[in-house]
């Protein structure tokens, strides 16, 4: 058995010295020193030895175990150091080389204008309300005092989903106001941004898909003065404190009285130029006092409550704010254009 241990020792040390991988080294440890390893197998044969031979063989077996454990630990340290040197060489980094610049994205110019407007409205106490883009015809027209065959439906005729004309892509975000008034009791102060759709021809100022921001206030004692004060505050914060506004009589089926709101051309300051087509004023939005029929259709008593509403095109607001001459540029996703903002 002594010769057997000596042969085992020489074989194990030679194998440990030649191993070149950590996993292979672990396999050798299990092979020689594991519970079912070769050294253990030799020790199990000690039962057949005489009492005089057992101490000597036991001592040799223990020395072999210690020797192999030390050799394995030393070889593991060598391999780890070697692998570390290889890794450091492969992953070395020259900190003096300039870094690779990463292109940072920006907000789209429409989103930027929308965020500015929403911040202003929230500062005035409005909350944001949203609704579906596929809307009921009743919410889009009838409850807004524009029943079937009403002349105002001609210019607002849009994309329908069924022959009965019950579902359509909304032509305005006003249906959100209907949903709010039907689900919430006054006082109400909401602003509703979103995409809308109409069968417009694509040109420098029109698109079949565009964006609107509409506002609604309903409470006791609301007057036209409240509407004018709100819109003046919005326009002056967007375009500057010196910006002047003009309110012109108009007609909308869902407001009475109604008005169009212009702001003095920010380029020529009223003198007349190509941007304002020589008029000195630029049309911004439509507004008015909520029609009593609209309040009544939504379950609100017009004898007790009054309100005002307004709607503006976010796309044209953006064009005027950033002096963009063609609406199509906003939707073409040309980075050369969008990076300017």
């Amino acid at each position: 058995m002594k010769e057997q241990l000596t042969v085992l020792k020489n074989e194990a040390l030679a194998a440990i010295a030649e191993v070149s991988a950590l996993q292979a080294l672990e396999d050798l440890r299990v092979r020689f020193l594991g519970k079912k390893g070769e050294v253990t197998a030799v020790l199990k044969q000690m039962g057949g030895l005489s009492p005089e031979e057992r101490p000597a063989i036991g001592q040799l077996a223990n020395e072999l175990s210690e020797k192999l454990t030390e050799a394995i630990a030393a070889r593991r340290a060598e391999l780890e150091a070697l692998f570390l040197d290889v890794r450091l060489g492969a992953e070395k980094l020259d900190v003096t080389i300039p870094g690779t610049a990463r292109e940072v994205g920006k907000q789209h110019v429409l989103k930027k204008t929308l965020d500015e407007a929403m911040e202003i409205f929230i500062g005035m106490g409005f909350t944001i309300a949203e609704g579906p883009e596929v809307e009921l015809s009743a919410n889009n027209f009838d409850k807004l005092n524009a029943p079937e065959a009403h002349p105002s439906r001609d210019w607002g005729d849009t994309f329908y989903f069924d022959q009965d004309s019950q579902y359509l892509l909304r032509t305005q975000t006003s249906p959100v106001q209907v949903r709010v008034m039907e689900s919430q009791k006054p006082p109400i102060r909401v602003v509703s941004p979103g995409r809308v759709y109409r069968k417009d021809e694509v040109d420098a100022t029109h698109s079949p898909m565009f964006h609107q921001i509409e506002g609604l206030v309903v409470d006791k004692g609301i007057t036209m003065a409240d509407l004018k004060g709100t819109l003046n505050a919005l326009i002056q914060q967007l375009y500057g404190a010196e910006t002047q506004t003009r309110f012109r009589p108009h007609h909308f089926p869902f407001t009475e009285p109604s008005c169009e709101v212009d702001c003095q051309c920010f380029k020529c300051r009223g003198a007349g130029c190509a941007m304002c087509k020589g008029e000195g004023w630029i049309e911004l939005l439509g507004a008015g006092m909520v029609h009593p029929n609209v309040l009544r259709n939504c379950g609100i008593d017009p004898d007790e409550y009054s309100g005002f509403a307004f709607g503006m095109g976010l796309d044209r607001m953006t064009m005027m704010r950033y002096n963009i001459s063609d609406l199509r540029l906003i939707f073409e996703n040309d980075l050369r254009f969008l990076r300017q903002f």
Side-chain angles (χ1 to χ4, degrees):
M1 185 174 290
K2 181 177 179 182
E3 291 78 8
Q4 188 177 0
L5 290 176
T6 302
V7 171
L8 184 59
K9 173 183 175 182
N10 295 334
E11 181 183 353
L13 291 177
I16 293 171
E18 294 176 359
V19 73
S20 59
L22 289 173
Q23 183 58 51
L25 181 64
E26 176 63 17
D27 293 341
L28 287 177
R29 185 193 68 79
V30 174
R31 171 187 167 186
F32 292 109
L33 300 177
K35 291 182 179 180
K36 297 181 179 181
E38 295 184 19
V39 174
T40 304
V42 172
L43 293 176
K44 288 181 179 180
Q45 301 175 20
M46 291 181 62
L49 298 175
S50 65
E52 293 79 11
E53 293 177 317
R54 289 178 187 173
I57 299 300
Q59 183 178 357
L60 288 175
N62 290 334
E63 291 176 354
L64 175 59
S65 296
E66 293 177 1
K67 184 69 174 179
L68 295 184
T69 301
E70 293 174 357
I72 290 172
R75 186 56 180 165
R76 178 178 288 110
E78 292 175 359
L79 291 177
E80 288 177 347
L82 178 62
F83 295 151
L84 179 60
D85 290 340
V86 173
R87 183 178 177 184
L88 290 175
E91 299 180 3
K92 65 181 179 181
L93 176 66
D94 186 349
V95 296
T96 64
I97 298 177
T100 302
R102 291 183 177 270
E103 187 170 357
V104 179
K106 296 181 180 179
Q107 282 188 321
H108 192 278
V109 64
L110 277 178
K111 184 63 165 57
K112 188 174 181 180
T113 305
L114 176 62
D115 286 349
E116 291 175 356
M118 291 302 99
E119 186 175 351
I120 294 171
F121 282 121
I122 291 173
M124 292 192 288
F126 285 79
T127 58
I128 299 175
E130 296 181 329
E133 295 180 20
V134 177
E135 187 55 272
L136 288 167
S137 177
N139 288 345
N140 195 81
F141 293 120
D142 299 79
K143 293 182 180 180
L144 293 170
N145 203 35
E148 191 172 357
H150 192 282
S152 66
R153 289 203 182 198
D154 293 339
W155 62 266
D157 197 18
T158 186
F159 305 96
Y160 290 92
F161 285 86
D162 56 357
Q163 293 181 347
D164 297 331
S165 301
Q166 293 187 23
Y167 295 94
L168 73 162
L169 290 174
R170 63 185 181 186
T171 65
Q172 53 202 355
T173 55
S174 300
V176 179
Q177 300 178 18
V178 172
R179 291 175 176 271
V180 170
M181 286 189 286
E182 289 181 334
S183 61
Q184 179 180 333
K185 294 182 179 180
I188 296 171
R189 185 180 295 181
V190 296
V191 60
S192 52
R195 283 187 294 264
V196 298
Y197 306 85
R198 295 177 190 170
K199 291 194 293 186
D200 287 339
E201 297 295 332
V202 177
D203 59 26
T205 56
H206 295 85
S207 170
M209 185 282 295
F210 56 100
H211 300 77
Q212 274 192 341
I213 301 174
E214 296 199 11
L216 171 71
V217 173
V218 179
D219 203 350
K220 295 180 179 179
I222 298 297
T223 68
M224 194 76 173
D226 299 308
L227 169 62
K228 294 184 69 174
T230 299
L231 294 180
N232 279 333
L234 169 67
I235 293 170
Q236 288 175 2
Q237 289 193 60
L238 279 175
Y239 300 108
E242 71 285 354
T243 305
Q244 297 184 26
T245 58
R246 180 177 69 177
F247 289 73
R248 294 180 288 107
H250 197 70
H251 170 73
F252 299 108
F254 34 81
T255 54
E256 180 59 36
S258 304
C259 63
E260 291 275 10
V261 183
D262 307 328
C263 77
Q264 191 179 66
C265 179
F266 52 84
K267 185 174 182 180
C268 66
R269 294 301 175 188
C273 66
M275 178 169 288
C276 62
K277 299 178 181 178
E279 296 182 2
W281 297 88
I282 297 176
E283 179 184 321
L284 277 185
L285 56 95
M289 302 301 295
V290 180
H291 198 290
N293 288 345
V294 175
L295 294 174
R296 196 175 291 112
N297 291 338
C298 297
I300 297 175
D301 186 356
D303 294 326
E304 185 177 0
Y305 294 99
S306 59
F308 66 77
F310 56 86
M312 62 190 73
L314 175 63
D315 312 85
R316 292 195 180 181
M317 285 176 59
T318 303
M319 291 174 68
M320 287 184 286
R321 183 158 178 73
Y322 294 100
N323 197 15
I324 299 171
S325 60
D326 194 317
L327 176 64
R328 290 168 290 193
L329 294 170
I330 296 176
F331 300 121
E332 288 177 350
N333 291 329
D334 189 331
L335 292 178
R336 295 172 299 174
F337 168 77
L338 295 175
R339 285 194 182 104
Q340 300 176 68
F341 310 102

